[in-house]
Amino acid sequence: MGEAAAQQNVIVFDVETTGTDRKRDQIIELCMQFGMDGEGGQKTWRFLPTVEMSPGAQAVHGISMADLKDCPPFAAVVDEILQVFAQAGVIVGYNVAFDIDMFQSELERAGRPPLDISTKLVVDPFRLWQQCEPRSLQHAHKRFVGTAFESAHSATADVAATGRVLSGMLAAFGLQEKGWEEVADVCDPTRQRCIGPSRHFMWNEQGVVTIAFGKHAGTPVASMVKGEGAGYLRWVQGRDFPGHVVDIAEAALAMSADAFVDWVVARYGPPPTV
């Protein structure tokens, strides 16, 4: 690394949360490491959230509400955290867009302006990996099958190669004994929460029908039947969305909240069990 880059203050940043909905869920743990190798030490804060922990999130990070009962709320220590960010020239985090989004949501709840990252350099090892290690079918074949293959980009060759690559992946990742349902869940952990054949409407982790796109993403549909939300659902009705998306918007506007949920379950099935 060049000398100029090395001289910039580097913070490695990560959060744990009550879930993945940036509008509802909250940060329960935030850690910063000072320097790439931690030569400047680390600082970790824990917070008591005002929403319940989702079972899925707790299964990932192992932090329970009981663990947080004596912790302060986020707003009580936000100034200290902002001071650390102010000194950083480089923010590093794995898939860091999620962490930054959750932090911005906490600032909004605390009545603070958003963190200005326009003057920071944000470096995400996950994105760097995607850019620097090729992920074409040819490269995947070399890694998971062990050989290159001829006639790349011929449809006939590509489908055969894709089958071989997947077989190699299943072996490499210990998924050979899994059924296709489980493999599909590994590929896309949220797929079972989709309502209908697209991601426009989804069950959230609490089993509530939410809109999953646009400016209202993450909002329970039942709360959108009045005011601006209703206008947005009517806008969906008049646009070129898939038929099931239009049907869901129409049903939400026409039915009571309970009747709407019953209709969704009858038409598309119940939410997945946690």
Side-chain angles (χ1 to χ4, degrees):
M1 178 175 291
E3 183 178 350
Q7 289 175 350
Q8 292 179 286
N9 289 330
V10 176
I11 289 176
V12 187
F13 166 59
D14 185 68
V15 304
E16 303 296 345
T17 63
T18 60
T20 57
D21 184 339
R22 69 183 301 270
K23 289 190 174 182
R24 172 199 177 275
D25 287 304
Q26 298 175 16
I27 295 174
I28 56 169
E29 184 175 81
L30 187 152
C31 182
M32 291 183 179
Q33 174 177 289
F34 305 102
M36 293 284 288
D37 300 320
E39 62 269 20
Q42 292 183 343
K43 175 69 175 180
T44 300
W45 297 264
R46 280 191 170 185
F47 317 108
L48 179 65
T50 59
V51 297
E52 289 300 311
M53 189 83 66
S54 76
Q58 184 170 335
V60 171
H61 52 59
I63 302 171
S64 68
M65 293 296 284
D67 296 328
L68 304 169
K69 63 183 178 62
D70 296 323
C71 297
F74 176 88
V77 293
V78 64
D79 288 328
E80 181 181 355
I81 298 170
L82 287 172
Q83 287 175 6
V84 178
F85 270 122
Q87 298 167 11
V90 181
I91 298 173
V92 177
Y94 198 83
N95 204 13
V96 74
F98 170 79
D99 303 81
I100 291 174
D101 282 349
M102 294 300 293
F103 186 74
Q104 301 287 34
S105 294
E106 289 287 7
L107 291 177
E108 183 178 354
R109 278 189 285 270
R112 300 301 186 90
L115 178 69
D116 181 9
I117 61 172
S118 64
T119 60
K120 316 290 184 185
L121 299 176
V122 178
V123 179
D124 185 339
F126 176 64
R127 302 298 175 193
L128 186 63
W129 182 25
Q130 288 182 315
Q131 293 297 322
C132 293
E133 183 175 299
R135 278 175 165 56
S136 69
L137 179 58
Q138 182 73 269
H139 290 96
H141 199 279
K142 181 72 174 179
R143 175 173 176 182
F144 293 103
V145 181
T147 62
F149 72 98
E150 301 299 325
S151 304
H153 305 303
S154 154
T156 302
D158 284 359
V159 295
T162 300
R164 293 192 296 270
V165 166
L166 181 55
S167 295
M169 284 184 172
L170 295 178
F173 301 142
L175 299 172
Q176 293 163 298
E177 304 304 317
K178 303 294 186 183
W180 286 113
E181 287 282 334
E182 291 176 275
V183 173
D185 288 343
V186 173
C187 291
D188 181 3
T190 66
R191 73 178 188 89
Q192 293 188 20
R193 290 168 37 204
C194 293
I195 299 173
S198 73
R199 296 178 172 277
H200 291 86
F201 291 95
M202 300 182 73
W203 299 101
N204 69 11
E205 292 181 345
Q206 291 71 47
V208 176
V209 179
T210 61
I211 191 166
F213 67 98
K215 63 182 179 181
H216 294 285
T219 302
V221 174
S223 69
M224 295 179 62
V225 296
K226 295 181 181 179
E228 182 186 0
Y232 193 76
L233 291 175
R234 284 191 289 270
W235 175 81
V236 169
Q237 287 180 274
R239 307 296 290 185
D240 188 24
F241 284 100
H244 71 283
V245 176
V246 175
D247 290 345
I248 293 169
E250 289 178 347
L253 289 168
M255 300 177 182
S256 68
D258 289 342
F260 171 66
V261 172
D262 291 342
W263 177 87
V264 170
V265 170
R267 180 71 65 91
Y268 301 105
T273 56
V274 177

